Amino acid sequence: MRSKLFVPGTRPELFAKALAGEADAISFDLEDAVPEPSKTVAREQVVAFLRSEAAQESRKLLIVRVNAADTAHFAADIEALAGAGLDLINLPKVESPECVRSAVALIATAERAAQVEAATPLLLTIETPRGLRAAAAIAAADARIAGLQLGLADLFEPYGIARNDAANVHAAMFALRIAAAEADVFAYDAAFADVVDTHGYAVEAAMARRLGFLGKTCIHPRQVALANAAFQPDESEVAHARRVVAFAQTAAGRSTGTFVVDGRMIDRPFLKRAEAVVAAAAARAAAR
C-alpha cells in the first residue's frame, strides 16, 4: 500500500475514477471531508459503491474512514459497512486502548448481525498528543489492528507546531513508527495538505520511507505518483531480499541464527525486512 487516495463520500462521481487510477488503496471518507448535514447521504453512497460489481472485482485495497467512535455517526457507519466488502476500517482520532476495544465490540456485533465471517482489520489514526503518548498500547489493544496512521494536521496545527520544520515531522514519525513496531503492526504516513508543493510531499515521503513506513496518504491524484515512487523498492533491493529469503529457506540458512548474503550479516530483523520486501513485490505483481 504505497499510496492511499482519499475520496470524499459526498463525491460519488469520483469513486470509479479513483478505482481506475494508480493508487494502491482507495480510502472513502465519511469524516472530515463530509459536512454534518451530508453524513447520511455520504454513507449511503459509499456503501452502494462498495457493493457494486466494479468495487467487488477490484484488486485495490478498499478502506473507509468512518466518523470517530465518540460521535453520533459512528454506530450508523459501522452498521451500514458490515458486509460491504471492506479491506480496512480507518478509525480516526484514537486516543486510548479502551476506545479501540469499545469500537471493536460494536464492529463485532455489527458483523455478526450481517453474518460476516472474517473480522475486518483496523487502521487507527493517531492525531492527538494523548493518542501519540499512548500509541504503543493502542496498537496492541486488539488483534484486529493492522496498522497505525499518523495525522499531522490535528497533531500540529492546534498547538503551533511548524509542519515545515523537518525535525518536528521526524520526531512525530519516529514516535509512531516505534509504537507500531512494538505491536508488530505497520505504520502509515500522514496526508500533505499543499497539493501544489510536490517537492515538500516527496521530501516527507522519502523521510517516511527511511523510517520504515508502509506508504503515504494522498489527498489529490497528483500525489499518487509521488507516493508510489517514494515507496517503490528498487530492483536491487528486491533482488537482495529474495536472495536473503531463499538462503534462509535452505538447510544452511536454517542451521544458524545468522548468515551472510551479498557480504552482509543477516539475522532475524534483517530476514523479517527481506520477507516484507518480497511479499510487497509479489503483491504488486499480482495486482497488475
Side-chain angles (χ1 to χ4, degrees), residues 23-37:
D24 291 344
I26 307 301
S27 183
F28 301 94
D29 190 18
L30 300 180
E31 195 213 11
D32 285 349
V34 179
E36 191 70 21

Side-chain angles (χ1 to χ4, degrees), residues 86-101:
L86 278 181
D87 294 300
L88 284 168
I89 294 173
N90 179 199
L91 186 60
K93 298 180 175 61
V94 180
E95 292 193 312
S96 69
E98 293 75 22
C99 170
V100 176
R101 287 190 279 268

Side-chain angles (χ1 to χ4, degrees), residues 17-92:
K17 187 175 180 179
L19 204 65
E22 296 301 317
D24 291 344
I26 307 301
S27 183
F28 301 94
D29 190 18
L30 300 180
E31 195 213 11
D32 285 349
V34 179
E36 191 70 21
S38 303
K39 295 288 188 182
T40 299
V41 171
R43 181 189 307 122
E44 292 170 350
Q45 291 173 160
V46 168
V47 170
F49 185 76
L50 289 171
R51 295 183 182 279
S52 71
E53 184 177 352
Q56 293 294 318
E57 293 182 354
S58 173
R59 291 185 174 182
K60 292 188 184 297
L61 287 171
L62 301 178
I63 304 167
V64 173
R65 180 168 73 172
V66 297
N67 289 282
D70 62 354
T71 68
H73 305 288
F74 177 68
D77 288 348
I78 295 304
E79 182 178 349
L81 290 167
L86 278 181
D87 294 300
L88 284 168
I89 294 173
N90 179 199
L91 186 60

Side-chain angles (χ1 to χ4, degrees), residues 68-149:
D70 62 354
T71 68
H73 305 288
F74 177 68
D77 288 348
I78 295 304
E79 182 178 349
L81 290 167
L86 278 181
D87 294 300
L88 284 168
I89 294 173
N90 179 199
L91 186 60
K93 298 180 175 61
V94 180
E95 292 193 312
S96 69
E98 293 75 22
C99 170
V100 176
R101 287 190 279 268
S102 176
V104 166
L106 194 149
I107 293 168
T109 298
E111 288 175 341
R112 285 194 297 270
Q115 298 183 326
V116 176
E117 295 182 4
T120 306
L122 302 180
L123 173 60
L124 309 179
T125 304
I126 304 298
E127 49 191 324
T128 67
R130 182 184 178 196
L132 188 59
R133 177 170 53 83
I138 289 169
D142 193 86
R144 284 179 184 254
I145 299 167
L148 299 181
Q149 177 174 274

Side-chain angles (χ1 to χ4, degrees), residues 159-284:
Y159 312 104
I161 302 172
R163 176 70 176 270
N164 60 359
D165 188 326
N168 295 344
V169 176
H170 184 278
M173 283 185 181
F174 185 80
L176 186 93
R177 180 67 186 94
I178 292 300
E182 182 177 336
D184 197 23
V185 301
F186 69 77
Y188 207 81
D189 195 19
F192 190 85
D194 190 344
V195 299
V196 177
D197 184 7
T198 55
H199 174 73
Y201 185 97
V203 167
E204 272 198 8
M207 185 189 300
R209 169 73 191 283
R210 292 193 299 271
L211 285 168
F213 279 66
L214 187 64
K216 186 168 179 61
T217 302
C218 308
I219 60 171
H220 191 282
R222 73 177 64 178
Q223 295 176 333
V224 170
L226 300 171
N228 287 347
F231 292 93
Q232 177 72 41
D234 61 35
E235 293 182 7
S236 64
E237 183 180 353
V238 175
H240 171 74
R242 286 174 175 151
R243 287 192 291 272
V244 169
V245 172
F247 190 88
Q249 292 171 345
T250 68
R254 291 193 298 269
S255 65
T256 178
T258 62
F259 51 88
V260 176
V261 175
D262 298 339
R264 305 178 198 175
M265 184 67 71
I266 305 297
D267 58 10
R268 180 169 174 75
F270 292 96
L271 175 58
K272 287 188 69 176
R273 172 60 184 161
E275 290 171 339
V277 170
V278 170
R284 285 192 296 275

